[in-house]
Amino acid sequence: MNVRRLIPTTAVAGAVVLGLTAISACSTSDAADGGNGDKLKVTASFYPMQFLAEKIGGEHVAVTSLTKPGVEPHDLELTPRQIGSISESDYVLYLKGIQPAVDDAIKQSGVKNTVDAATLTTLENHGSEVSGHDHDHGHEGEEEHGHEGEEAHEEHSEGDGHNHGEEGGADPHIWLDPVKYAEVAKGVGKSLEKADPDHAADYKKNTDALVAELGELNTAYETGLKNPATRTFITTHSAFGYLAERYGLTQQGIAGIDPEAEPSPARIQEIHTIAEKEKATTVFFETLASDKTAKTLAKDTGLKTGVLDPLEGITEKSQGADYIEVMESNLAALQKALGAK
């Protein structure tokens, strides 16, 4: 695992103190305004959480994202001001296991309405290779997953999440599966209704609308990827395990779940062999990380390169203005690479 990503807890603790000192000098009335007709102050950890908060919260929330556009979420380091803003929030939405610095700061913030999206669906373990054929990726299978004991669920969200990029850790990229993302959306909607009962009806209406939109996206993927020439795609960032599983595809990651990890020569050789055998056409890279590895591999194997966006942030380089649009671009890119009609 890339050590530079992990910020020592002591550093975070120190920054928490600094952040709290900074905000204690401010008027405390700001924090209390959330329930007095003003907008609910929502802090989201990174883009997929921000999108849910904005779509479901609508006009009743003021959403701040801790991860600015263009910043690789895993690399995020929090400023004392950001840590202070978490403590001032009425509601915090994050995904445990993606950003250790955020996990630590939230734990120490004392905010009552704190929601970990990982607890709203079932996390699974995905290595560099994820095949949808080994699982039931239909809706019935999802139902069964949902009833696997809560203990397994807790174990993932409490312990395994931090192993981001290591074998055996739970894969946190749940938002890239529209069905799982819809499950999370429902949980977020319910929690916002509890946090701000005055606007519960609107939160419910917005949640239903978003869940319907995600249902349409799921149908588009199911239809669009039904008859591909090949089911294997190669990617520099193994973020698409849930997506592969949902639609019966096989993800071959050059490196692991960590987007910056360098692949071993043995893994590169393996990818060469897989590409030939499975008739893979394209090496995908992402918008927020370097395309160097993808281009080198593509040159060595005669494959094309393309963008498959893990949607960890939206920038001017993104193939769309929001989650839905970028997921539609991802579908078009996959259809082209897989030869799906």
Side-chain angles (χ1 to χ4, degrees), residues 11-320:
V12 174
V16 169
V17 174
L18 280 171
L20 293 177
T21 311
I23 62 161
S24 61
C26 309
S27 158
T28 51
S29 63
D30 290 2
D33 281 344
N36 301 336
D38 265 0
K39 294 188 178 192
L40 198 74
K41 287 184 186 172
V42 175
T43 296
S45 56
F46 73 132
Y47 178 70
M49 302 299 104
Q50 177 191 345
F51 179 76
L52 289 180
E54 287 173 347
K55 290 288 275 189
I56 296 168
E59 64 185 7
H60 304 303
V61 299
V63 182
T64 304
S65 177
L66 294 172
T67 311
K68 297 289 171 271
V71 173
E72 226 292 335
H74 311 282
D75 293 336
L76 184 70
E77 296 187 24
L78 295 174
T79 65
R81 183 183 287 274
Q82 284 180 304
I83 291 167
S85 77
I86 295 172
S87 304
E88 278 192 309
S89 306
D90 300 311
Y91 179 99
V92 177
L93 179 61
Y94 74 118
L95 178 56
K96 193 168 183 178
I98 284 272
Q99 299 168 292
V102 172
D103 297 349
D104 290 337
I106 286 170
K107 202 187 295 178
Q108 297 175 51
S109 70
V111 176
K112 188 179 111 186
N113 296 305
T114 299
V115 178
D116 171 12
T119 63
L120 302 176
T121 185
T122 313
L123 267 64
E124 293 164 24
N125 293 348
H126 294 140
S128 292
E129 176 185 354
V130 181
S131 172
H133 298 294
D134 302 334
H135 305 270
D136 177 353
H137 52 272
H139 295 280
E140 291 174 0
E142 190 59 38
E143 278 303 309
E144 284 166 30
H145 272 318
H147 296 294
E148 281 172 12
E150 282 299 313
E151 295 160 41
H153 197 137
E154 276 304 305
E155 190 185 312
H156 281 326
S157 55
E158 286 302 316
D160 292 349
H162 279 302
N163 294 336
H164 190 69
E166 291 178 358
E167 288 306 313
D171 178 358
H173 298 87
I174 46 179
W175 65 92
L176 290 164
D177 171 355
V179 177
K180 280 194 174 294
Y181 200 44
E183 286 177 9
V184 174
K186 287 176 191 169
V188 169
K190 286 197 178 82
S191 66
L192 276 171
E193 286 174 42
K194 277 186 194 156
D196 182 17
D198 291 353
H199 301 115
D202 284 350
Y203 295 140
K204 182 160 189 346
K205 189 180 76 180
N206 294 345
T207 302
D208 291 346
L210 177 58
V211 167
E213 211 174 347
L214 292 170
E216 285 169 20
L217 184 66
N218 175 47
T219 303
Y221 266 79
E222 280 180 339
T223 311
L225 298 171
K226 199 167 269 177
N227 300 306
T230 176
R231 291 188 174 273
T232 299
F233 64 97
I234 300 165
T235 173
T236 52
H237 182 183
S238 301
F240 301 91
Y242 293 105
L243 186 148
E245 190 175 325
R246 174 72 51 202
Y247 305 110
L249 308 175
T250 299
Q251 164 186 260
Q252 288 287 352
I254 298 172
I257 290 175
D258 182 337
E260 300 288 334
E262 288 293 326
S264 67
R267 181 62 182 156
I268 289 177
Q269 187 50 53
E270 213 179 339
I271 293 285
H272 275 254
T273 312
I274 290 162
E276 282 178 17
K277 184 173 166 235
E278 301 296 337
K279 299 184 171 54
T281 64
T282 309
V283 180
F284 286 116
F285 60 93
E286 59 173 286
T287 40
L288 295 183
S290 167
D291 61 358
K292 193 175 73 176
T293 307
K295 285 191 167 156
T296 305
L297 187 68
K299 194 175 165 196
D300 291 349
T301 52
L303 297 171
K304 291 179 275 209
T305 57
V307 172
L308 202 57
D309 195 328
L311 265 156
E312 292 178 343
I314 294 279
T315 69
E316 64 281 358
K317 290 183 185 171
S318 300
Q319 308 287 307

